Structure formats: structure tokens, C-alpha cells
Amino acid sequence: MKLLYDSLITVTNALLPVAGVFNKKLHQGCKGRARTWDILNQSIKKTIPKIWVHAASLGEYEQIVPVLEKLNRENYQIVLTFFSPSGYENKKNTQLADTVCYLPMDTIANVSKFMDIVAPSLVIMVKYEFWPNYLRALHKRDIKTVLVSGVFRENMTFNKWYGSWMTKYLKAIDHFFLQNEDSFKKLSHLGFNNASVSGDTRFDRASQLIERDNRLDFLDQFVDHKKCLVIGSSWPEDILVLQKWLRENYESGDCKVIIAPHEIEPIKIEALIQQLDDEPILWSSLKRNQKTLTLKSVAHLQQSNILIIDTIGLLTKAYSYATIAYVGGAMGTSGLHNILEAATYGVPVIIGKNYEKFPEAGKLEDLGGLFSVSSPNEFMEIMDQLLTDDYLCDKTGMICGHWINSNTGATREVLNYLKQIDEKLVIS
């Protein structure tokens, strides 16, 4: 099976540029990967030990941020790699790493070249992206490797007849920091017990958000002390279910609405506007038309009912204005987005129906801080309850805030382990 894998990954690597002609995201990834070797050759310092951190995408990056913030940049060079364009394109200029690039595809030749150039002293991987040739190289070179916020599920490749051969490569990982007990049991069943249930570092990341200054002048003026629904990382499937309530709310004007869609290309924003009866304000138009808020623009903001944030990086601040948060992705098949970023502000969270792969959502629902809806009528019913019953809204929000606070600490466990390897790895 290993020979077949190597053949398939080599063919895939060769065909990706061709496939990129028909797919914007693939094209973006291929274009970025083409620059990887130049980035590495120009930025890697041979005389300084390297810490290689790999995050598959943007979500995994957010998980590792609390650890990245504590890594010693004076004694070590941090090399951060991404597999997905959503991670690299958004974080290629992050100040938390010295070198940021795409991870070359997992061919034997690419792996050997990458390892020779980077020559890491320590490797930190996030969640569950496992590439057999990279793991094999790490094990052969005896490089200290840890997995942070790891997740193991029954339906993962290791448990399939066609993927069980990959299990042995997990021996490259010296310690698995896992999110939950179920992952610990699944990993133990695979034959590995060098693990601990430390929790999810996303809780630490989320808890940091509430401590910073989240105020934005244009949101102050738009919300204007009214109740506010923040719709985060929405997809068209989400808006379809929310449409009925949005229409009624437009007529009543009872609640302000902030929408931060997952896809912000102009064609996607135009499609979103077509789904709305209201004429929304776009953040980009505010930014383009004035550097400061004039009396006229303030009046326009206060009179408007829907504001679309068509940019990256403002959603977490927008959640601080929420009375209620709807987190997108679970109404369709794209995957539920981060509910922790909303919950940390102590507001009720509503999501779609497809969240089986997101145990944190199930846990918060069991506690009473989250509601799952599958139809327009269900959404309207929940919104009516939360907007008319302040006690219920406050109680539900308090559950969310307490849930975040009671699950922090995963970062501390990871950092304590790294200090045991070498005190110089971590800054105080």
C-alpha cells in the first residue's frame, strides 16, 4: 500500500497545476507552493535551531496561536507551514513566525528536500493532519515531534482497510496532546499510549479575545445600543434558513444584523445581497468612502438594519457586539465554523443541523448554551424566545462564557512539556 500511496501522491503532485486551471483554490495553492523552495532557501538560517510548526488551515493556526506566542524567537527560528490556501493566504504575514510557506506535497523527494533545508530541532503538528512520508522522515532523523490539540475518530484513515498501513508512522510522534477522552481511547486502540488529554488550545485562544480592545467605531454607530444578531462565517445554505426571520426583522427593525460571510469575493457578496430583502451596508464601502465617520454616514449606519463585513479579520471583534450569535457552516456540508469565538463573549450560540464531527458543539448543546436548528421556523422560534426573554438569553450566554473559562489550560500543559525538553524553547 505504501508503494501505491507514493505513486498516487507523485501523480497528484504533477497534476495539481492542471487541475488548478479549473479551480481557483487549487490554482492559488499551486501558485503558492511553487514559491516554497525560494522562500525556504532565502529565509532559513543555518546557524539557528529551527522549530517547525505545521497547521493544515486557518482553524488549526488559531489553535496553535497560544503556543506560538510563547515560543522563544531569540534562540529559535520558527518555520510555519500550511497545506490549505485559507491558512497561508490569510496568515503569510503573521508576526508569530520567521518563515511562512506552503507545505510541499508528501512525495519522497519533496520530504527529503524540505527536511534537509529546514533541519528542525522540534516539530509541532496541530490536530490531525498526518503525512506518512513526513512522519517517516521525522522518525528516521529522530526529531522530537508533538501533536497539539489532537483528535482521533472512528472514521479516520487509520481505521480503514486501505489506510491501516499508515498507523505505524504515528510512532514518529513523541507525545500526543489530545482534546478529549474519546480520542485517547481511539489512539490507545491503535497501540499508542504516549498521550495525555490536555484539552483544546482553542479555548485558550478564545479566552484571550475578550481581554483585548474589540471596539470599532462603525459598529458602535451601527448597533447603537440595540439588540444584535451576529452571523459569522455564513454560507448561502445558512442564509436560506435565516431568510424568513431576516425579512420579518427588516419590517420590525427590532434587531440589528451583522453578517460576516465565509467567502468575501465580490461575486459571492453580490449573491448574498440578492438573498436579502434589505439593502445592506458593506464594510468595504464605508472604508472606501471615508476615513472618518461623518454625521451623514453615522445617520446612515443607525438607520440601516444589516451590515455585511466583506473582509477578513473583524469577525471576532463583531462577536463582542452580539446579543445572539449564529455560527455558519453546519447547515450545509462545509463544516461548522468556530463556535468558541462567539461563546467566549457570553452570548447564546445558534448553529445548523450537521455538527456530528464537532463534539464541542454537542457538549455546549447538552449544557444548554447552544441551539441547533434545521428549518426557518425553528430558527424563528429560537430567536423569538431569546429576544423576548432576557433571563433566558442571559442564562444561556452565561453558560457559554463559563464553558470557555472552565476548559482553558491546554496551552499550559504543552508549554510545560516543551520546557522539560529544553527550558530555552519557551519564553516566560
Side-chain angles (χ1 to χ4, degrees), residues 251-301:
E251 295 174 1
S252 67
D254 291 337
C255 183
K256 293 281 189 165
V257 179
I258 299 170
I259 305 177
H262 180 69
E263 297 181 307
I264 59 170
E265 296 88 348
I267 190 171
K268 301 292 184 180
I269 297 298
E270 183 59 36
L272 170 60
I273 293 173
Q274 294 300 317
Q275 287 186 286
L276 307 171
D277 284 347
D278 197 358
E279 184 64 34
I281 295 178
L282 298 183
W283 175 88
S284 58
S285 66
L286 288 173
K287 182 182 179 184
R288 182 171 60 250
N289 293 336
Q290 66 271 323
K291 293 183 179 179
T292 59
L293 291 174
T294 63
L295 289 175
K296 182 178 180 181
S297 62
V298 167
H300 186 36
L301 278 167

Side-chain angles (χ1 to χ4, degrees), residues 133-289:
N133 283 322
Y134 278 104
L135 290 175
R136 179 172 176 267
L138 291 172
H139 184 65
K140 287 185 67 176
R141 299 183 186 217
D142 196 26
I143 298 171
K144 202 75 173 179
T145 303
V146 298
L147 178 72
V148 174
S149 294
V151 173
F152 285 84
R153 302 191 183 108
E154 189 64 40
N155 63 350
M156 292 179 74
T157 305
F158 305 110
N159 298 308
K160 308 292 185 180
W161 65 267
Y162 55 82
S164 58
W165 63 273
M166 290 176 54
T167 303
K168 64 181 180 181
Y169 294 106
L170 291 175
K171 62 187 177 184
I173 298 175
D174 293 274
H175 195 84
F176 298 83
F177 290 96
L178 304 175
Q179 290 189 25
N180 50 52
E181 289 287 346
D182 187 60
S183 291
F184 186 89
K185 293 176 182 177
K186 295 291 190 297
L187 181 63
S188 180
H189 182 71
L190 293 173
F192 296 89
N193 294 302
N194 51 325
S196 57
V197 180
S198 58
D200 190 343
T201 51
R202 286 186 303 165
F203 285 92
D204 299 308
R205 173 64 167 158
S207 69
Q208 294 173 347
L209 298 176
I210 203 168
E211 298 173 359
R212 71 185 188 186
D213 181 9
N214 290 294
R215 309 314 297 178
L216 294 168
D217 286 345
F218 74 96
L219 288 186
D220 283 335
Q221 300 299 334
F222 173 73
V223 176
D224 193 26
H225 307 291
K226 293 185 178 180
K227 292 184 177 181
C228 179
L229 169 67
V230 176
I231 304 169
S233 300
S234 66
W235 293 80
E237 297 92 334
D238 297 299
I239 302 301
L240 278 174
V241 173
L242 277 55
Q243 232 173 12
K244 186 177 180 181
W245 179 86
L246 288 170
R247 286 169 180 161
E248 291 198 5
N249 183 66
Y250 168 63
E251 295 174 1
S252 67
D254 291 337
C255 183
K256 293 281 189 165
V257 179
I258 299 170
I259 305 177
H262 180 69
E263 297 181 307
I264 59 170
E265 296 88 348
I267 190 171
K268 301 292 184 180
I269 297 298
E270 183 59 36
L272 170 60
I273 293 173
Q274 294 300 317
Q275 287 186 286
L276 307 171
D277 284 347
D278 197 358
E279 184 64 34
I281 295 178
L282 298 183
W283 175 88
S284 58
S285 66
L286 288 173
K287 182 182 179 184
R288 182 171 60 250
N289 293 336

Side-chain angles (χ1 to χ4, degrees), residues 307-320:
L307 188 150
I308 296 176
I309 300 180
D310 52 342
T311 188
I312 297 294
L314 297 183
L315 175 57
T316 55
K317 289 181 179 289
Y319 278 137
S320 72

